[in-house]
Amino acid sequence: MKAKYYNPYNTDEERLCHRPPHLSDDDWRWLIHFWGTPEAKDISEKNKANRAKQVIKHTSGSKSYAQIRYEQAQKKEDRSEPNRIEMFALTHTRKDGTPVDDHSKEIMDQFQQLLSQPEGTSPSTSASFGASTSVSSTYVDEIYTQVMGPERHGRVRGYGFGPTPTSIFGSTSRRRSGVILSTQLENAQEMLIAAEQKFTTATEELSNVKDELSHVKETFEERLIEVQKKTREEVKEEFEEKMMEMQRKMQAQMQAQMQAQIQEQMMQMMQQFQQKQ
């Protein structure tokens, strides 16, 4: 506002004629007077010097980090605040989505590269700035510190003025407890993964055994059918042989009977012939 409505003009009269639309005349007159005081000029010079020392530019303007966090949280269903990596992207990206400068781009590229790697020794979903909430906050803080360096005393980067390491991360003992719990959780996850792998292996082996049993059953059934078929054929052959034998015996008996009858008839005919003589 000062750069747009105050600095371009040389006199207070000109400035009064170019009042910002959201301020009243009295407020604008007081603000013009304040900016003209030695105290305000001294503050302005100090702020200018501090801005000149900034290595990394940002796009948040006069909006505080707390306000940005609140606004971003209101956009989410769970009202969760963005983490420090997401805050860096929000405050160092232009409206068109490009980084504000090359240094910011380099830092965000490093964040992206580290977030895409597995978390510790346990598998983790690859994340980007827009989806880094799928990664634990402890892991995000580790990545942030790895890229940006250690925190200054009493300050926590990515949170603006006010928050301290204790208010954000807790006391040293609590942080150590958090690290221990995180390590225990990772170990438990590794044990769970190992158990799942063993279960998968056992399931595969059981499936193989079932397949083998099924194959043995099919082979046995086929063999049984062959045996039954062979047995039926043998019985049939034996029956046919007995029938043939019975037929031969009957034929022999019939032939014997016919021969006996023929002989008897011939004897009778001989006797009749002799009687006639």
Side-chain angles (χ1 to χ4, degrees), residues 110-164:
Q110 292 182 46
F111 285 150
Q112 177 71 36
Q113 181 180 1
L114 292 173
L115 283 171
S116 64
Q117 297 176 0
E119 180 177 351
T121 56
S122 60
S124 173
T125 305
S126 297
S128 61
F129 299 124
S132 58
T133 52
S134 62
V135 184
S136 66
S137 59
T138 303
Y139 189 53
V140 169
D141 290 332
E142 290 176 359
I143 292 175
Y144 192 92
T145 303
Q146 182 177 346
V147 175
M148 303 297 292
E151 300 293 343
R152 297 178 183 177
H153 180 70
R155 291 284 303 277
V156 182
R157 285 168 299 183
Y159 282 86
F161 294 101
T164 62

Side-chain angles (χ1 to χ4, degrees), residues 194-246:
E196 290 177 349
Q197 291 176 347
K198 289 182 179 179
F199 177 77
T200 301
T201 302
T203 303
E204 292 176 353
E205 292 178 353
L206 179 60
S207 178
N208 293 334
V209 171
K210 288 182 178 180
D211 292 340
E212 292 179 1
L213 289 175
S214 178
H215 178 69
V216 170
K217 181 181 178 182
E218 292 177 358
T219 304
F220 176 78
E221 290 177 348
E222 292 175 357
R223 181 61 179 166
L224 179 61
I225 292 172
E226 291 178 359
V227 171
Q228 291 175 345
K229 182 178 180 181
K230 184 176 181 180
T231 302
R232 286 196 297 268
E233 291 177 352
E234 291 177 351
V235 171
K236 182 179 179 181
E237 290 177 357
E238 184 179 355
F239 177 76
E240 289 177 349
E241 289 178 358
K242 288 183 178 180
M243 289 295 295
M244 291 292 292
E245 185 178 355
M246 290 177 64

Side-chain angles (χ1 to χ4, degrees), residues 15-249:
R15 294 169 182 137
L16 286 170
C17 295
H18 296 85
R19 174 178 58 84
H22 62 282
L23 292 180
S24 64
D25 290 336
D26 292 339
D27 291 339
W28 181 233
R29 186 177 292 103
W30 179 89
L31 196 55
I32 291 174
H33 172 73
F34 171 75
W35 280 336
T37 61
E39 293 82 1
K41 291 180 180 180
D42 185 49
I43 293 173
S44 177
E45 290 299 324
K46 288 181 179 179
N47 290 338
K48 187 183 296 184
N50 290 333
R51 286 194 297 271
K53 295 178 182 179
Q54 286 183 347
V55 179
I56 306 174
K57 299 178 181 179
H58 62 80
T59 58
S60 58
S62 60
K63 187 180 293 186
S64 67
Y65 274 43
Q67 184 177 355
I68 295 174
R69 285 182 178 279
Y70 175 79
E71 291 175 355
Q72 293 298 318
Q74 298 307 305
K75 297 178 182 179
K76 299 181 181 180
E77 293 183 0
D78 59 355
R79 296 294 188 268
S80 61
E81 293 185 350
N83 58 44
R84 292 204 286 173
I85 292 179
E86 291 172 336
M87 280 296 296
F88 187 92
L90 289 169
T91 56
H92 294 79
T93 304
R94 297 189 180 94
K95 292 182 179 180
D96 60 359
T98 59
V100 67
D101 54 25
D102 293 338
H103 195 179
S104 297
K105 181 180 184 303
E106 181 181 351
I107 291 173
M108 285 190 279
D109 288 342
Q110 292 182 46
F111 285 150
Q112 177 71 36
Q113 181 180 1
L114 292 173
L115 283 171
S116 64
Q117 297 176 0
E119 180 177 351
T121 56
S122 60
S124 173
T125 305
S126 297
S128 61
F129 299 124
S132 58
T133 52
S134 62
V135 184
S136 66
S137 59
T138 303
Y139 189 53
V140 169
D141 290 332
E142 290 176 359
I143 292 175
Y144 192 92
T145 303
Q146 182 177 346
V147 175
M148 303 297 292
E151 300 293 343
R152 297 178 183 177
H153 180 70
R155 291 284 303 277
V156 182
R157 285 168 299 183
Y159 282 86
F161 294 101
T164 62
T166 301
S167 64
I168 299 299
F169 306 117
S171 62
T172 303
S173 60
R174 288 176 59 188
R175 290 200 294 271
R176 289 176 180 173
S177 299
V179 172
I180 293 173
L181 289 175
S182 178
T183 303
Q184 291 176 345
L185 178 60
E186 290 181 359
N187 293 336
Q189 289 175 341
E190 291 177 358
M191 293 175 64
L192 178 60
I193 292 171
E196 290 177 349
Q197 291 176 347
K198 289 182 179 179
F199 177 77
T200 301
T201 302
T203 303
E204 292 176 353
E205 292 178 353
L206 179 60
S207 178
N208 293 334
V209 171
K210 288 182 178 180
D211 292 340
E212 292 179 1
L213 289 175
S214 178
H215 178 69
V216 170
K217 181 181 178 182
E218 292 177 358
T219 304
F220 176 78
E221 290 177 348
E222 292 175 357
R223 181 61 179 166
L224 179 61
I225 292 172
E226 291 178 359
V227 171
Q228 291 175 345
K229 182 178 180 181
K230 184 176 181 180
T231 302
R232 286 196 297 268
E233 291 177 352
E234 291 177 351
V235 171
K236 182 179 179 181
E237 290 177 357
E238 184 179 355
F239 177 76
E240 289 177 349
E241 289 178 358
K242 288 183 178 180
M243 289 295 295
M244 291 292 292
E245 185 178 355
M246 290 177 64
Q247 287 179 357
R248 287 194 296 269
K249 288 181 179 180

